[in-house]
Amino acid sequence: MQCGLRHVARNARSIVSRPSSSRLPLETRRYAGFLNPLEWVREKLAPGLKEKTTKEEVDAGKKQAAEEGNRNIFEAAVSPIPRPAETKPGEVVPKKSEIHMPRKSLKPKPTSHKYSTANFKISHRKLNMLGRQISGKPIDYAILQMQFSEKRASTRIMNMLATARDHAVRYKKLKDSKLIVAEAWVSKGPKGPKRLEPRGRGHTGIQTHPNSKLTVVLKEGKTLEEKKLEDRKNQIRKIVSASLIREDRPIRNPSHTWGW
């Protein structure tokens, strides 16, 4: 143990006698930091003045690196389109129209929006009656029909139609005033667990609880006013009157006698 203490004291004397320098070996610097921590902190963390390299020194360093073949990858990369400031007197700069750039694939504008309810406890036959009631109607008219319907599932269908209309306007950028329920269909859902139904005279039956959902597709179409105007024009076009002006269309169901 005394030999170990003598060895440590000898190392400490040699460390103190040597001047503090950054070129000291690693073990010596460790002992120096252990013996005099303030000096080590001052040496490592003291603010010093950094000399700024001039432009001539930077250019000389780049030139030397280019000669040795150790250029930076960003400096060695050649741009495909030379800039006007970097072009030489006899060099031809390609036009933007001659440069082949990959075009971005433009997605077509969506024309419809599909939405459906979740599977809930209802028979597909009962839900199909509501689907036939709103199919082909404008979205506002379909919501109005479900608002005053006496069916139990009408409230759920009304909320679904309102949500589908908002999503079609917000995400698909469709016009709210021209949205119609183009399609509506009912799908069967998973059947629930079967249960026994007690009957008379010791008999039993099986109860099933069906699930189903309603799906609609909203598209831009004719509004209710446009449909009424078109029907009115079709009715007027079918009329054949006995007027003084001769009409260039055949008479429907002509009689065998004169129509005085």
Side-chain angles (χ1 to χ4, degrees), residues 86-114:
E86 301 175 359
T87 54
K88 298 179 181 180
E91 191 176 358
V92 180
V93 181
K95 298 180 181 179
K96 291 185 178 180
S97 58
E98 299 177 359
I99 301 170
H100 177 71
M101 298 295 290
R103 296 183 178 180
K104 296 182 179 179
S105 59
L106 299 177
K107 295 183 179 180
K109 183 181 178 181
T111 58
S112 62
H113 180 65
K114 181 181 177 182

Side-chain angles (χ1 to χ4, degrees), residues 30-44:
R30 286 178 182 173
Y31 285 117
F34 175 73
L35 296 175
N36 193 1
L38 296 178
E39 186 68 24
W40 182 83
V41 171
R42 187 182 299 108
E43 180 183 355
K44 295 295 183 181

